[in-house]
Amino acid sequence: MKVQLAHVNTEVIAQDMLNFNPQKTDFLGAYLPAMQSGKFVWDVIMDNIPEHQRYGNNAHFLRWGWHPRLEDIEHRQEKDLDFYFFGMMSQRRRGMLQAIQAKGFRGTADGSCPYFLRNDRIARAKVQLNIIQEDKYTHVNSFRICYLANNRCAILSERETDPANYLSLARIADKEHFADAVADLVTGDKWRALGEQAYADFRKVTMQTCLEELLDQSLAGATV
């Protein structure tokens, strides 16, 4: 008998593993059975849906949409940071941040911090960065992109696998030209215009609509 619950997955599913790490989670022995014990699975990573289909899961893509209660960044009128990055730090990310700073731009990064400190630094920075953690993680960080767009932020991102088209809300630059893209955005008001456009585009689809449609699909058992 299925338990009356939805399993919400936020991790990469590939090669019968979670996040490519067989030592951290017993995917086949514990995680997969836990997902299958519920009525359905909601997954924030669209790339995972083919894997769910392979296991026979009643799984559906959870798309993020605009919500007024997520508008909680009070932007500084005069911003003293050119860029900001928040997220788990890796050598790859650290190298790209150092390359930007070497060009003379002022910014900071946090691997872990309270949300109010993170939000204050978002408010102080002209450009918010989305940098790939490791080359093996190819999917877009939808949490970061959508939260920033919901808050009128200018987003500069590397190209990632993005079937949900979240990166339409950001400017894209490859690793070799990332610092140059920062330079271009902080010139004049380009960063401000990018943030306003991201907000306008993201607001076209509300979170309420996303959840209503998702619940209808999940209860009907239709795969998307």
Side-chain angles (χ1 to χ4, degrees):
M1 178 180 294
K2 297 289 187 181
V3 180
Q4 296 296 318
L5 60 81
H7 183 113
V8 180
N9 179 64
T10 63
E11 311 301 327
V12 176
I13 298 174
Q15 303 169 20
D16 295 333
M17 293 182 289
L18 205 67
N19 292 333
F20 303 99
N21 189 346
Q23 304 303 318
K24 187 173 182 179
T25 302
D26 181 1
F27 179 78
L28 293 176
Y31 197 87
L32 180 59
M35 285 197 295
Q36 295 177 332
S37 67
K39 294 288 290 186
F40 42 78
V41 178
W42 289 352
D43 202 307
V44 304
I45 303 175
M46 186 179 281
D47 313 58
N48 285 340
I49 297 301
E51 293 298 301
H52 286 294
Q53 293 171 339
R54 186 163 69 88
Y55 298 120
N57 297 341
N58 179 20
H60 308 267
F61 173 58
L62 171 54
R63 175 178 290 279
W64 302 121
W66 171 82
H67 197 284
R69 293 189 180 180
L70 287 178
E71 287 192 40
D72 51 14
I73 304 297
E74 297 182 9
H75 288 277
R76 303 277 186 92
Q77 187 61 34
E78 298 296 328
K79 294 179 177 272
D80 63 324
L81 297 177
D82 294 314
F83 68 89
Y84 178 56
F85 174 79
F86 60 92
M88 185 178 295
M89 194 53 62
S90 64
Q91 281 298 114
R92 188 183 188 283
R93 284 173 167 170
R94 184 174 291 107
M96 291 183 64
L97 292 168
Q98 290 172 344
I100 297 170
Q101 290 173 322
K103 294 277 189 177
F105 297 107
R106 179 181 171 85
T108 190
D110 289 303
S112 178
C113 65
Y115 79 91
F116 51 83
L117 177 59
R118 178 202 66 189
N119 285 4
D120 178 67
R121 288 176 173 171
I122 291 173
R124 292 168 54 196
K126 296 177 181 179
V127 180
Q128 314 299 321
L129 305 181
N130 183 52
I131 304 173
I132 295 171
Q133 179 183 350
E134 303 288 355
D135 290 334
K136 65 182 178 181
Y137 297 119
T138 61
H139 68 285
V140 68
N141 188 324
S142 59
F143 294 104
R144 186 196 317 279
I145 298 297
C146 295
Y147 180 71
L148 293 173
N150 205 118
N151 281 278
R152 291 184 165 90
C153 295
I155 310 163
L156 174 62
S157 176
E158 290 187 90
R159 172 66 63 190
E160 299 175 288
T161 303
D162 181 34
N165 200 32
Y166 287 132
L167 290 181
S168 64
L169 303 165
R171 175 165 171 177
I172 307 300
D174 59 33
K175 183 178 179 180
E176 290 70 25
H177 299 95
F178 216 67
D180 293 334
V182 172
D184 184 58
L185 283 172
V186 300
T187 301
D189 280 343
K190 289 183 180 179
W191 59 272
R192 197 185 304 275
L194 179 60
E196 290 297 331
Q197 188 62 56
Y199 176 79
D201 291 342
F202 191 59
R203 192 170 178 173
K204 292 175 183 178
V205 180
T206 68
M207 194 67 211
Q208 180 176 337
T209 298
C210 291
L211 289 175
E212 287 174 350
E213 293 178 352
L214 179 61
L215 188 57
D216 288 342
Q217 295 161 356
S218 302
L219 293 174
T223 302
V224 293

